[in-house]
Amino acid sequence: MAGEIVGLATARNLTLATAESCTGGLVAAALTAIEGSSAAFDRGFVTYSNQAKQDLLGVSARSLDEHGAVSEIVAREMAEGARMRAGVDFAVSITGIAGPGGGSETKPVGLVHFALAGPNGVSHRAERFGAIGRDAVRAASVRVALELFEAGINAQPGP
């Protein structure tokens, strides 16, 4: 899937960035594993801590305090911040609870928020993967992020 995204983005002269928390750079790694990815992929921000989200992406302290890092608003701010700071066409963000600990009744293990910022605004998607294991939550999150990139790219006029 990463190869398809790199090919589509390159063919349409679109640029990409990532803003990752719980995946720790796995989406960027998937994209950069593809030969020729530098034609489309610009950079990845790994913002595991709240301070990193603020410093590197411009996520507001208020959003973090009021909603927590694992929330729709923070995912949206992460994607917007990555897109603006990298100067790219599309940026995807991921923030969630991979587990096995760290969950709560309102934010269980396996809850992951995603956002895609692009020329037409910001879209959000939340997934509740469940307590399927840390590695499985992270792998599933990479797939969803790649799906978001693919949908965003395909929504743009092509050559």
Side-chain angles (χ1 to χ4, degrees), residues 15-17 37-38 40-45 85-88:
T15 52
L16 312 172
S37 61
S38 61
F41 186 73
D42 182 75
R43 69 187 79 181
F45 297 91
R85 290 174 185 225
V88 295

Side-chain angles (χ1 to χ4, degrees), residues 70-82:
V70 180
S71 63
E72 176 178 348
I73 191 166
V74 169
R76 287 177 176 275
E77 288 182 21
M78 288 172 66
E80 289 175 307

Side-chain angles (χ1 to χ4, degrees), residues 4-48:
E4 183 178 330
I5 290 160
V6 168
L8 284 169
T10 300
R12 296 182 184 184
N13 200 29
L14 298 170
T15 52
L16 312 172
T18 59
E20 301 181 63
S21 187
C22 66
T23 49
L26 292 174
V27 178
L31 292 169
T32 58
I34 305 305
E35 183 180 351
S37 61
S38 61
F41 186 73
D42 182 75
R43 69 187 79 181
F45 297 91
V46 176
T47 56
Y48 208 68

Side-chain angles (χ1 to χ4, degrees), residues 72-138:
E72 176 178 348
I73 191 166
V74 169
R76 287 177 176 275
E77 288 182 21
M78 288 172 66
E80 289 175 307
R83 182 172 185 253
M84 297 307 293
R85 290 174 185 225
V88 295
D89 297 297
F90 289 98
V92 72
S93 69
I94 305 167
T95 182
I97 303 167
S104 68
E105 189 175 314
T106 57
K107 294 184 181 183
V109 169
L111 172 64
V112 183
H113 287 274
F114 303 85
L116 178 73
N120 297 324
V122 182
S123 60
H124 167 263
R125 179 170 164 184
E127 292 288 340
R128 291 179 178 261
F129 298 115
I132 59 175
R134 186 175 185 81
D135 290 343
V137 169
R138 288 163 44 105

